[in-house]
Amino acid sequence: MNITKAVFPSAGLGTRFLPATKAVPKEMLPLVDKPIIQYCVEEARASGIDEMIFVTSRCKRAIEDHFDTSVELESLLEEKGKRETLKMLHTISEGIQVVYTRQKKALGLGHAVLCAKRLVAGEPFAVLLPDDIMDAEVPVTEQMMRVFRRHSASVIAVQRVPRSQTHMYGIIKGRKIGPGLYKVDDLVEKPRENPPSNLAIIGRYILVPEIFDALERTRHGSGGEIQLTDGIRRLLETQDVLAFEFEGERFDAGDRLGFLKANIHMGLKRPETKKELKKFIKSIV
Ligand code: G1P
């Protein structure tokens, strides 16, 4: 079955990034010159998804404006003959449909995904957490969609992390069934002790619509929130769930250090900044 919809939970307050996020949504912080959220939308689009569902909250208008047309800006650029810039602006929302729904209360990631239930309308769908920025030859969402098509089961992206960091992630317990592929036996959100493995959940998921029933039956968990990890645990009672070690690099752009690393990484990839940035880094280390 084809996956055409992606959900972007974007309602978080971004407290890890204050004061930058006091008036600007964290999803709009730039990596080089593109907001974080645009990288994720581009990943989904490159994977063949064309309906982007944003779950937002108060103070997130900038996200809506970013994927909308700016008439004043466009006529100004037109007047000034800045054709290239105008073309670049058009590509932001080219070929995609963008819809928004609001999470009225900060009740957690599982609850945010549940807010998209009616928009997803009974189809399998992708979830991309904008904090996680991926750089991969084949877009990570596309890699996961291939696994979904082959096995017809929900797929969670995972990556090995040092044991000292397992308390920061959802952690899976799984049995290896193929290269980089695991059948999930259990999963636990941010275990304080005895993590079942060091395979950490990274913010990319392909989920079947049955996840919504599972989330509706999920109680408040870690941090007093309705966790997506706990919802998937419920889903496991009736369905197989797979975990997939994707190929590519991941940056936690929701964390100060991860954000700086992501910026440097992207700056070193961009032809117009690459050379000078490399020279600068060499000169200061
Ligand atoms: C969320 C998920 C967690 C996952 C992480 C990946 O946590 O709840 O299972 O490991 O994203 O980035 P958050 O970082 O939003 O607290």
Side-chain angles (χ1 to χ4, degrees):
M1 197 170 178
N2 227 6
I3 290 170
T4 60
K5 298 179 181 181
V7 173
F8 301 85
S10 315
L13 293 174
T15 45
R16 281 198 286 168
F17 237 116
L18 282 167
T21 47
K22 189 176 172 214
V24 177
K26 65 172 173 176
E27 295 79 8
M28 290 304 295
L29 297 178
L31 296 179
V32 189
D33 54 6
K34 262 196 286 188
I36 286 175
I37 189 78
Q38 196 181 326
Y39 285 87
C40 296
V41 167
E42 285 175 0
E43 178 188 325
R45 180 168 49 194
S47 307
I49 290 172
D50 56 16
E51 187 170 332
M52 313 297 170
I53 302 169
F54 292 93
V55 182
T56 65
S57 59
R58 281 166 51 80
C59 309
K60 300 277 183 169
R61 273 271 315 276
I63 301 179
E64 298 184 22
D65 289 344
H66 186 71
F67 291 96
D68 196 1
T69 311
S70 170
V71 181
E72 315 85 282
L73 183 61
E74 291 197 7
S75 44
L76 199 80
L77 290 170
E78 189 92 62
E79 255 172 54
K80 293 191 183 269
K82 303 218 169 203
R83 301 224 145 254
E84 283 305 305
T85 316
L86 203 55
K87 217 161 97 192
M88 178 271 289
L89 282 187
H90 285 154
T91 60
I92 298 175
S93 52
E94 210 168 57
I96 57 170
Q97 195 196 337
V98 189
V99 286
Y100 300 88
T101 185
R102 281 203 174 189
Q103 183 185 25
K104 291 186 192 135
K105 284 188 182 163
L107 295 178
L109 178 59
H111 179 257
V113 172
L114 190 52
C115 291
K117 179 179 175 179
R118 284 189 49 206
L119 293 167
V120 168
E123 294 175 22
F125 62 105
V127 175
L128 291 87
L129 306 189
D131 276 358
D132 285 322
I133 292 293
M134 307 297 202
D135 183 21
E137 218 161 281
V138 177
V140 173
T141 300
E142 165 73 31
Q143 295 179 35
M144 296 176 66
M145 283 162 64
R146 288 180 186 170
V147 177
F148 174 80
R149 282 196 286 267
R150 204 166 316 130
H151 297 271
S152 301
S154 297
V155 190
I156 311 172
V158 290
Q159 189 177 48
R160 292 207 181 267
V161 298
R163 290 261 165 191
S164 59
Q165 290 178 14
T166 48
H167 67 283
M168 295 158 61
Y169 296 91
I171 301 291
I172 71 138
K173 178 180 175 211
R175 268 173 292 152
K176 198 160 188 173
I177 56 166
L181 195 62
Y182 302 81
K183 187 173 174 306
V184 177
D185 286 327
D186 202 359
L187 58 171
V188 37
E189 180 67 7
K190 306 199 173 95
R192 287 207 196 113
E193 52 199 13
N194 303 325
S197 75
N198 68 339
L199 280 171
I201 300 174
I202 301 303
R204 299 291 185 272
Y205 309 77
I206 304 291
L207 296 172
V208 292
E210 287 80 1
I211 186 65
F212 294 117
D213 292 336
L215 283 168
E216 273 161 359
R217 291 185 290 116
T218 300
R219 308 216 165 279
H220 299 253
S222 166
E225 298 185 336
I226 297 175
Q227 296 294 346
L228 182 56
T229 303
D230 295 340
I232 297 172
R233 195 162 192 236
R234 282 239 166 221
L235 187 66
L236 262 187
E237 292 168 7
T238 54
Q239 300 229 355
D240 282 353
V241 174
L242 302 173
F244 176 63
E245 267 183 291
F246 58 90
E247 307 230 329
E249 255 182 286
R250 172 253 178 181
F251 298 90
D252 181 3
D255 165 82
R256 287 183 179 86
L257 185 61
F259 176 78
L260 290 174
K261 286 183 186 171
N263 249 310
I264 293 170
H265 179 85
M266 294 305 176
L268 286 173
K269 286 192 72 170
R270 293 280 286 272
E272 64 276 31
T273 47
K274 189 176 165 174
K275 210 167 136 208
E276 284 303 315
L277 183 59
K278 208 171 181 176
K279 230 161 74 185
F280 173 69
I281 294 169
K282 272 196 182 147
S283 76
I284 56 168
V285 290

